[in-house]
């Protein structure tokens, strides 16, 4: 588990932003209204509160910065030295010291001015003391502006550092630049380190993770190291030296035996001997990389001697750990990251060496004795020389033999596919498992679609019998049609029917001729209203003549037509039937009208009354009045919300600018301000 998470450090504002943050908070969170008429104790308390509140905010902010930044003496030595290499321990401590001094100064300023405010004798004097106190506090913050800016840069850089756990299982890769360290970590982990064919592509520590025997291992790729004095090494090289010095890890020293990195084997051997003091008490493996360009057996004798010397030095680390000197196979390994030959064996050897070393260290510690006292390992001993083989029932053996025989006999579709040409050549037969009355039917070809119809829709066991019935019925109908064909020629009709038929034919031909004439001159024929029609085609007299010729009484139809026309134009009041007898009847007020008169009056009134809203009109698409009432209610309910919002219609999407006064004017009180 990573113990240090530098990404959680709070952002450090610069001097100007720091002052703005604190003063705006003081203005928002403390009272701002004061009058001359207040008691002097109230005025003193008003300004003392502002000074104390400002000092408390400065104190909290500065304390957060001091507490969240790590103390180099309290953290792991690896991180302590790494921060010293990257940021210079003296500058780092000096900046935090200035922050602490500023915090103490602000506290003293607030204490002094609160003491002076206790003796303020007027509103003006108290206000001047408050302004002076806040001004001195802001001046102190502005003076430490460079330290705040430096700490903010340090915080940003620390947030980008890799999360390295100094106490977990770690594999450390080191060597000259461009010898294949980043390529190796890309192969065995999911890290994506940039790989380029020039030196110092890797400028900082990179971390990846790999698994071995269900355990997670941390793999660290270090920048390249050059063989030069300690004082001449730059920050990039010192990151590697720091990791080698402080991390308990398995060391993989990469050796480029092909010389393509730009450094000879002699130079790489000199680097190995200069930093071998950092390898003490750590599993060390020398990895000869780039064997695809130059195998280990093909190098010169001088270079081979140097490699053997490095191997002997690595064997000393094995002996120092309590191992045997004969285990030299896991000390010198060869591989090629290009062809990936030997990559996994190098990873497994490093993980195994590291795991063994960690187990040995734990076994030598004092805690192991407390653990061993709780365990009891029971080892059974053989009581005699008699052999006792396992007893398996005969039935179980037979069942197993039978299953093995069935497995051998049965051929799967995969076996058939491999035997008949493989995938793409062999086509599996889906019909061979059909359950049919006759096995020969399995291979019959049955069309699924014929003439655009599905054949299965027309398959019927009684289809032949039904076809015969249909043919028989069709024959009977054809015979009836042949016998029943006739044409109305008038020979079998009575004289009256013949006259009616002649009239119908004459009327039909006349209508056809009129239609043809209208169609021919339809474009040039003017539209003439009915009342100006000279032919008088649409009159009540003509309708009466036609109905009389048909043997019908036209009086009711003519009367209805006249009553409708009068009701539309508005009729005069009918003269009472008693008026014809004389003037005596005029003096009677309570005479009731006749039945016919009342009926006509009620009809006219019923026609003049408008239709109720729940009455169903044909063509509305509603079943009955109940359904129409329900539809009207739903329509009113749908527009209710729109009417309340004063919308003009469904398309009115105007959003007015609402600025309620209680939210946008005056001073905010203490409490939540989320609503703004």
């Amino acid at each position: 588990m990573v113990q240090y998470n530098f990404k959680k450090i709070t952002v450090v504002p610069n001097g100007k932003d720091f002052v703005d943050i604190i003063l705006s908070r003081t203005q928002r969170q403390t009272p701002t209204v004061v009058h001359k008429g207040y008691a002097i104790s109230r005025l003193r308390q008003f300004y003392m509160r502002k000074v104390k509140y400002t000092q408390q905010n400065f104190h909290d902010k500065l304390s957060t910065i001091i507490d969240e930044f790590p103390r180099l003496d309290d953290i792991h030595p690896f991180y302590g030295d790494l921060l010293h290499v990257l940021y210079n321990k003296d500058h780092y401590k000096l900046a935090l010291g200035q922050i602490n001094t500023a915090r103490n100064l602000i506290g003293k300023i607030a204490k002094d001015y609160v003491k002076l405010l206790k003796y303020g004798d007027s509103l003006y004097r108290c206000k001047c003391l408050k302004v002076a106190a806040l001004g001195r506090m802001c001046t102190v913050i502005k003076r430490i502006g460079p330290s705040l800016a430096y700490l903010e840069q340090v915080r940003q850089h620390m947030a980008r550092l890799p999360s390295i756990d100094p106490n977990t299982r770690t594999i450390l890769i080191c060597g000259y630049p461009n010898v294949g360290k980043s390529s190796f970590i890309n192969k065995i982990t999911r890290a994506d380190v940039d790989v380029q064919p020039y030196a110092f592509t890797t400028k900082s520590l990179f971390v990846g993770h790999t698994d071995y025997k269900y355990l997670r291992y941390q793999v660290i790729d270090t920048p390249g190291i050059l063989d030069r004095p300690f004082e001449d090494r730059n920050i990039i090289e010192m990151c590697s030296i720091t990791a080698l010095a402080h991390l308990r890890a398995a060391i993989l020293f990469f050796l480029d035996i092909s010389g393509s990195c730009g450094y000879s084997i002699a130079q790489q051997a000199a680097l190995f001997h200069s930093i071998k003091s950092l390898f003490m008490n750590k599993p060390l493996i020398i990895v000869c990389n780039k064997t695809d360009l130059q195998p280990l057996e093909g190098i010169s004798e001088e270079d081979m001697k140097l490699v053997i010397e490095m191997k002997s030095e690595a064997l000393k680390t094995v002996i120092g750990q309590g191992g045997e000197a004969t285990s030299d196979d896991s000390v010198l390994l060869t591989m090629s990251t290009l062809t990936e030959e030997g990559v996994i064996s190098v990873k497994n050897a490093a993980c195994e060496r590291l795991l063994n070393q960690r187990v040995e260290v734990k076994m030598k510690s004092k805690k192991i004795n407390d653990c061993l006292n709780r365990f009891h390992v029971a080892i059974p001993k053989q009581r005699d020389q008699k052999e006792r083989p396992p007893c398996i029932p005969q039935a179980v053996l037979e069942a197993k033999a039978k299953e093995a025989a069935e497995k051998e006999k049965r051929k799967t579709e995969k076996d058939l596919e491999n035997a008949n040409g493989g995938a793409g050549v062999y086509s599996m037969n889906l019909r061979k498992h059909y359950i049919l009355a006759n096995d020969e039917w399995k291979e019959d070809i049955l069309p699924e679609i014929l003439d655009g119809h599905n054949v299965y829709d027309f398959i019927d066991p009684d289809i032949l019998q039904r076809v015969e019935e249909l043919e028989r019925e069709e024959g009977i109908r054809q015979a009836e049609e042949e016998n029943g064909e006739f044409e109305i020629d008038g020979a079998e009709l009575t004289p009256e029917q013949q006259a009616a038929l002649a009239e119908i034919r004459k009327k039909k031909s006349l209508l056809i001729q009129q239609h043809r004439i209208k169609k021919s001159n339809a474009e040039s024929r003017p539209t003439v209203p009915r009342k100006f029609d000279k032919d008088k085609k649409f009159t009540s007299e003509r309708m009466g003549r036609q109905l009389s010729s048909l043997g019908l009484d036209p009086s009711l139809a003519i009367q209805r037509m006249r009553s409708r026309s009068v009701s539309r134009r508005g009729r005069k009041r009918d003269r009472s039937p008693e008026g014809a007898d004389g003037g005596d009847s005029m003096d009677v007020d309570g005479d009731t009208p006749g039945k016919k008169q009342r009926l006509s009056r009620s009809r006219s009134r019923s026609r003049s009354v408008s239709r109720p809203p729940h009455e169903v009109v044909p063509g509305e698409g509603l079943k009955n009045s109940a359904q129409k009432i329900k539809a009207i209610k739903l329509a009113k309910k749908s527009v209710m919300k729109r009417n309340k919002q004063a919308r003009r219609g469904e398309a009115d999407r105007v959003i007015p600018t609402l600025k309620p006064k209680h939210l946008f004017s005056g001073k905010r009180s203490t409490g939540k301000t989320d609503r703004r």
Side-chain angles (χ1 to χ4, degrees), residues 445-647:
I445 299 174
L446 182 67
E448 295 181 358
I449 301 297
L450 182 65
D451 297 334
H453 299 284
N454 192 350
V455 175
Y456 293 105
D457 294 341
F458 301 95
I459 293 178
D460 196 330
D462 303 333
I463 190 167
L464 296 176
Q465 182 180 353
R466 291 172 183 262
V467 168
E468 291 178 0
E469 292 177 0
L470 288 173
E471 290 178 352
R472 196 181 308 115
E473 185 179 351
E474 187 179 3
I476 294 171
R477 289 188 177 182
Q478 287 178 355
E480 289 178 354
E481 288 178 359
E482 290 176 359
N483 297 332
E485 283 183 357
F486 67 97
E487 187 177 2
I488 300 178
D489 53 356
E492 299 177 358
L493 300 177
T494 61
E496 295 177 356
Q497 292 176 344
Q498 290 179 359
L501 180 61
E503 186 70 22
I504 290 171
R505 287 177 176 172
K506 181 180 177 182
K507 181 69 175 176
K508 185 177 178 181
S509 63
L510 185 63
L511 291 173
I512 291 172
Q513 291 176 5
Q514 289 178 354
H515 178 69
R516 287 175 180 171
I517 292 170
K518 284 182 180 180
K519 192 174 180 181
S520 63
N521 59 5
E523 296 180 357
S524 60
R525 185 179 70 253
T527 303
V528 181
R530 286 187 179 184
K531 67 178 183 177
F532 299 113
D533 192 2
K534 295 180 180 180
D535 298 335
K536 300 292 183 182
K537 294 180 181 179
F538 304 102
T539 59
S540 59
E541 290 81 3
R542 183 182 176 188
M543 185 180 69
R545 287 195 303 272
Q546 288 180 350
L547 292 175
S548 300
S549 64
L550 294 174
L552 300 174
D553 184 12
S555 58
L556 293 174
I558 293 172
Q559 186 180 358
R560 176 172 175 77
M561 185 178 67
R562 285 177 177 171
S563 65
R564 284 175 61 86
S565 63
V566 170
S567 66
R568 288 176 185 173
R569 292 193 303 268
R571 67 176 73 182
K572 294 181 181 179
R573 188 175 64 179
D574 294 340
R575 183 174 294 177
S576 62
E578 291 83 8
D581 297 341
D584 299 336
S585 61
M586 299 297 291
D587 299 330
V588 182
D589 295 336
D591 293 343
T592 58
K595 182 178 180 182
K596 186 175 181 181
Q597 190 175 359
R598 290 198 309 271
L599 184 61
S600 65
R601 190 179 301 168
S602 65
R603 283 180 182 174
S604 65
R605 284 179 181 173
S606 67
R607 289 193 188 98
S608 64
V609 175
S610 62
R611 184 180 295 110
H614 58 78
E615 183 179 344
V616 179
V617 179
E620 285 185 337
L622 299 170
K623 186 166 60 175
N624 49 28
S625 59
Q627 193 177 21
K628 186 170 182 179
I629 291 171
K630 188 176 180 181
I632 292 171
K633 286 183 179 179
L634 290 174
K636 288 181 179 178
K637 191 175 181 181
S638 65
V639 300
M640 190 182 299
K641 185 177 180 182
R642 191 180 69 209
N643 293 340
K644 282 185 177 181
Q645 295 176 348
R647 303 285 185 190

Side-chain angles (χ1 to χ4, degrees), residues 51-65:
V51 174
K52 288 180 181 178
Y53 190 81
T54 306
Q55 182 267 337
Q56 188 62 39
N57 284 334
F58 275 123
H59 184 276
D60 294 344
K61 272 279 188 183
L62 296 174
S63 298
T64 303
I65 295 172

Side-chain angles (χ1 to χ4, degrees), residues 280-281 315-323 364:
M280 297 306 296
N281 300 324
L315 282 173
K316 292 179 182 178
T317 62
V318 178
I319 299 171
Q321 295 169 18
K364 292 177 182 178

